[in-house]
Amino acid sequence: MPKSTVSKLVPKVPGVSVPGASRRQQYSASTKRALVDVAESLFTEHGYAATSLDAIVAGARVTKGALYHHFSGKQALFEAVFERVETDASRAIQKALRGKKDPWEKALAGLRAFLTVVQEPRYRRVVIQEGPSVLGYERYREQEERSTFANVLEIVRSVISAGTWELDEDMLQTFSRIFFGAMSSAGETVSSAEDPIAAAERVETAITFILQGFQALADAGVELPSGRSESS
Amino acid sequence: MPKSTVSKLVPKVPGVSVPGASRRQQYSASTKRALVDVAESLFTEHGYAATSLDAIVAGARVTKGALYHHFSGKQALFEAVFERVETDASRAIQKALRGKKDPWEKALAGLRAFLTVVQEPRYRRVVIQEGPSVLGYERYREQEERSTFANVLEIVRSVISAGTWELDEDMLQTFSRIFFGAMSSAGETVSSAEDPIAAAERVETAITFILQGFQALADAGVELPSGRSESS
DNA sequence: TCTGGGTACGTACTCACGGTATGTGAGCCA
DNA sequence: TGGCTCACATACCGTGAGTACGTACCCAGA
């Protein structure tokens, strides 16, 4: 379809029509959504570098003019996709946490939700695989910080504070980072395993075991050192 | 410097001159090394996408003909850089492990070596940040599998077998993956912290604490479940 | 109802960059 | 000393990101 000048004549399906917006604004928001939708799909399937803007605008049935009207460039478009995937993931995890009061139960529910999220191709590709490279580590970290990682931190905080110890903020961050990395890697293992279900069970077993270690230490009254440990 | 036809007249510094090779072969190997050297430097500094082949060949004082004679393309060149960085990292870790007999001591030494390696800008940029994106996850995993991850696996194996438990191969892989992810993330935290030394100490403290949990479980005679855990 | 302005695009173009086809001179071997 | 091959150099092409500019449409105000 080389020319699609008629496309602006057909009424664009406005997704969710916001009542307090003019028709122009609705159309605009619609094309923007369409761009992000197509971009998310193509980025997920072929990756960032292998996806051309021409393919994206063709899929959204607009031209590059529209794209550059809404986004400052390819990277900004990727960022919009990234943010949406992250937000969805974070919401899914928070939904799983809702209602759980016991911190250990909460942790397990969070783990399972995360293991589910990390199976999504779009999350794997956009966030884990290409996020650090495309956004750069700084921006990547900023985004993670206020979405998925925030959930992990909250879980760790509740688990820690439920134990007998208490912890300064730095150590809490450190523990959270470690668990976050552990879960990311575990999720990657699960999603790329030949048998993801069995792999997920193994991960759950392993994490549970580690948490049991924590409980054992708590029962034994071992303190959590927050200062420096003497090195040999 | 637009023309550098003289460059092939100046005797190229042959790095380590292999005795059993003709002058042609030595020159060839030298230019190949130069290409990888420059590429490593530029990839580390500006990233993969922001580094043009023109810049690389200019830095190595050759032309694209030379580059495409030695490598099939930009990605292949990156792969060569990646492999070298990985190999160096693996060697550094193995060197740190040498001589340690006690598995716990070994684990700690490995941790420290890894935390050191992950501070290197080239490792952070080439391996962690851009490796998954440029190589794709499959090739990335293959490479990691037989270098840094192999070290982690060996450490975990020795620690596990030193405890009272024993473990089937799948669970061992799972544990290793988890620890590998934990350490990667921890390393990232350390390297991007405002005070890396203090951050490294916190990481050591945290990891040590987790390992203490393992020991506590071992002392208590808790078994490591290798089968499936019943899910609620 | 007309009109001016601004928004939301479309069109045509530039330029940088990865990749390729082909030329060429220096080295090894007979 | 000739020929052959390797190790490049040179010139070129296609693709794709980004830009400059034109334009149709909607909405507010008169």
Side-chain angles (χ1 to χ4, degrees):
Chain A
M1 51 202 84
K3 302 202 72 177
S4 60
T5 11
V6 278
S7 70
K8 58 186 161 189
L9 297 181
V10 306
K12 310 186 178 180
V13 42
V16 189
S17 52
V18 182
S22 73
R23 222 164 50 225
R24 246 175 100 113
Q25 289 169 322
Q26 286 190 13
Y27 283 175
S28 177
S30 167
T31 60
K32 188 170 182 177
R33 274 178 52 97
L35 281 169
V36 176
D37 286 345
V38 175
E40 177 185 313
S41 166
L42 292 181
F43 284 156
T44 300
E45 195 168 359
H46 307 112
Y48 179 77
T51 300
S52 72
L53 293 185
D54 288 333
I56 294 175
V57 296
R61 296 195 309 182
V62 291
T63 62
K64 295 214 290 196
L67 196 156
Y68 276 91
H69 175 74
H70 288 289
F71 303 96
S72 64
K74 192 184 185 182
Q75 183 169 333
L77 178 56
F78 179 86
E79 212 154 333
V81 172
F82 182 94
E83 209 156 327
R84 204 169 70 174
V85 175
E86 268 278 21
T87 304
D88 290 353
S90 185
R91 265 205 269 268
I93 294 176
Q94 284 181 339
K95 186 181 170 189
L97 296 184
R98 199 155 300 157
K100 313 281 179 185
K101 293 306 286 179
D102 175 54
W104 300 96
E105 189 186 350
K106 197 185 205 173
L108 197 58
L111 170 65
R112 283 174 179 156
F114 185 80
L115 289 181
T116 302
V117 163
V118 88
Q119 308 261 31
E120 297 178 20
R122 60 177 193 155
Y123 189 83
R124 292 185 56 191
R125 189 72 173 244
V126 172
V127 175
I128 298 184
Q129 187 172 343
E130 303 211 310
S133 176
V134 177
L135 298 183
Y137 231 100
E138 316 310 318
R139 298 190 70 82
Y140 175 74
R141 279 284 286 271
E142 287 174 18
Q143 298 284 356
E144 282 275 317
E145 208 81 27
R146 63 167 181 263
S147 54
T148 311
F149 178 69
N151 293 320
V152 176
L153 197 141
E154 191 217 329
I155 293 174
V156 171
R157 193 190 303 273
S158 65
V159 166
I160 293 290
S161 64
T164 51
W165 337 276
E166 72 187 53
L167 208 50
D168 63 286
E169 193 59 28
D170 281 342
M171 276 305 289
L172 201 141
Q173 285 266 348
T174 303
F175 266 101
S176 299
R177 279 280 160 210
I178 289 174
F179 271 102
F180 183 65
M183 280 169 52
S184 292
S185 188
E188 195 40 52
T189 305
V190 167
S191 59
S192 64
E194 66 298 334
D195 184 354
I197 298 170
E201 283 177 355
R202 282 197 295 271
V203 166
E204 255 193 60
T205 303
I207 300 276
T208 304
F209 186 77
I210 293 175
L211 292 181
Q212 280 182 357
F214 272 67
Q215 282 181 313
L217 290 180
D219 294 345
V222 175
E223 278 188 22
L224 248 178
S226 57
R228 31 227 62 190
S229 60
E230 71 276 75
S231 49
S232 62
Chain B
M1 52 200 83
K3 302 203 72 179
S4 60
T5 9
V6 278
S7 69
K8 58 185 162 189
L9 297 181
V10 305
K12 311 184 175 180
V13 43
V16 191
S17 52
V18 182
S22 73
R23 220 164 52 224
R24 250 173 95 128
Q25 290 170 322
Q26 287 191 12
Y27 283 174
S28 177
S30 167
T31 61
K32 188 170 182 178
R33 274 178 52 98
L35 281 169
V36 177
D37 285 345
V38 175
E40 178 185 313
S41 167
L42 292 180
F43 283 156
T44 300
E45 194 168 0
H46 306 111
Y48 179 77
T51 301
S52 72
L53 295 185
D54 288 334
I56 295 175
V57 298
R61 296 194 311 182
V62 292
T63 62
K64 295 215 286 196
L67 196 156
Y68 276 90
H69 176 74
H70 287 289
F71 303 95
S72 64
K74 192 183 185 184
Q75 183 169 332
L77 178 56
F78 178 86
E79 213 153 332
V81 172
F82 182 94
E83 209 155 328
R84 204 170 70 175
V85 174
E86 269 278 21
T87 303
D88 290 352
S90 185
R91 265 204 269 268
I93 294 176
Q94 284 181 340
K95 185 181 171 190
L97 296 184
R98 200 154 301 159
K100 314 281 179 185
K101 293 306 285 179
D102 175 53
W104 300 95
E105 189 186 351
K106 197 184 205 175
L108 197 58
L111 170 65
R112 283 172 178 157
F114 185 79
L115 288 181
T116 303
V117 163
V118 90
Q119 308 261 33
E120 297 178 18
R122 59 177 194 156
Y123 188 85
R124 292 186 56 192
R125 189 72 172 243
V126 172
V127 175
I128 297 184
Q129 186 172 345
E130 302 211 309
S133 176
V134 176
L135 298 182
Y137 233 99
E138 317 309 320
R139 298 190 70 82
Y140 175 73
R141 280 282 286 272
E142 287 173 19
Q143 298 283 355
E144 282 273 316
E145 209 82 27
R146 63 166 182 263
S147 54
T148 312
F149 178 68
N151 293 319
V152 175
L153 197 141
E154 191 217 328
I155 292 174
V156 171
R157 193 191 302 274
S158 66
V159 166
I160 293 290
S161 65
T164 51
W165 337 277
E166 72 186 52
L167 209 50
D168 61 287
E169 195 59 28
D170 282 342
M171 277 304 291
L172 202 141
Q173 284 266 347
T174 303
F175 265 101
S176 300
R177 279 282 160 207
I178 290 174
F179 271 102
F180 183 65
M183 280 168 52
S184 292
S185 189
E188 196 40 52
T189 305
V190 167
S191 60
S192 64
E194 65 298 336
D195 184 355
I197 298 171
E201 283 177 356
R202 283 198 294 271
V203 167
E204 254 194 63
T205 304
I207 301 276
T208 303
F209 186 77
I210 293 175
L211 293 181
Q212 279 181 359
F214 271 66
Q215 283 180 310
L217 291 181
D219 294 343
V222 175
E223 279 189 20
L224 249 179
S226 58
R228 30 227 59 190
S229 61
E230 72 276 75
S231 50
S232 63

